[in-house]
Amino acid sequence: IVAVTALAGAAWIWRRSSNYEWKVLALVASIPLATPYFFDYDMAIFAIPLFFLLWEIRNTSFTYSRALIIATLWLAPPVIFLLPFGFPKLWQIGPIVWAALLGYVVYRVAGDGPHHYQHQKI
């Protein structure tokens, strides 16, 4: 159910949005949710949207939404990896982070319409 929902969300974003930033984020967020095995070394996939966002900032402007996504992508892998060592009975937070990232992209694309999203400048 989670995999089908994640892939449906990513497919919806790819059809609705013309912004490659959102498409890349949706694809990367849905991949870990679509596979039953996703280990700590697989989190290197977060580098793709991180570098893409940094490249976009170089060409456009820095926004609060981009800052939030960059911080999440930068901090999520070490937190997801190290948290079970300090709190072994705690549930895995990785799927929550990926689902939140995908939900954020769906939320942003739903409010944007089919056109390219124009970011607010800080």
Side-chain angles (χ1 to χ4, degrees):
I1 294 172
V2 172
V4 170
T5 304
L7 294 176
W12 181 82
I13 290 167
W14 273 77
R15 281 191 54 104
R16 181 163 170 100
S17 179
S18 62
N19 186 335
Y20 285 108
E21 180 179 312
W22 298 126
K23 290 180 179 184
V24 168
L25 286 172
L27 182 62
V28 169
S30 63
I31 287 172
L33 294 170
T35 178
Y37 303 106
F38 197 81
F39 300 106
D40 54 352
Y41 52 79
D42 292 327
M43 287 190 275
I45 197 168
F46 283 127
I48 296 168
L50 182 63
F51 291 131
F52 187 78
L53 286 168
L54 292 173
W55 182 260
E56 286 292 313
I57 288 170
R58 180 177 175 238
N59 296 328
T60 58
S61 63
F62 192 78
T63 63
Y64 292 118
S65 62
R66 285 185 181 152
L68 175 67
I69 294 171
I70 287 170
T72 301
L73 292 171
W74 183 261
L75 295 174
V79 169
I80 291 169
F81 177 71
L82 295 174
L83 197 60
F85 291 115
F87 304 97
K89 302 240 185 233
L90 190 67
W91 286 14
Q92 291 292 324
I93 64 165
I96 296 169
V97 171
W98 302 313
L101 181 61
L102 184 59
Y104 175 76
V105 176
V106 168
Y107 170 75
R108 293 301 298 260
V109 170
D112 293 343
H115 56 77
H116 181 76
Y117 181 73
Q118 299 294 324
H119 294 283
Q120 296 176 334
K121 293 184 179 183
I122 306 177

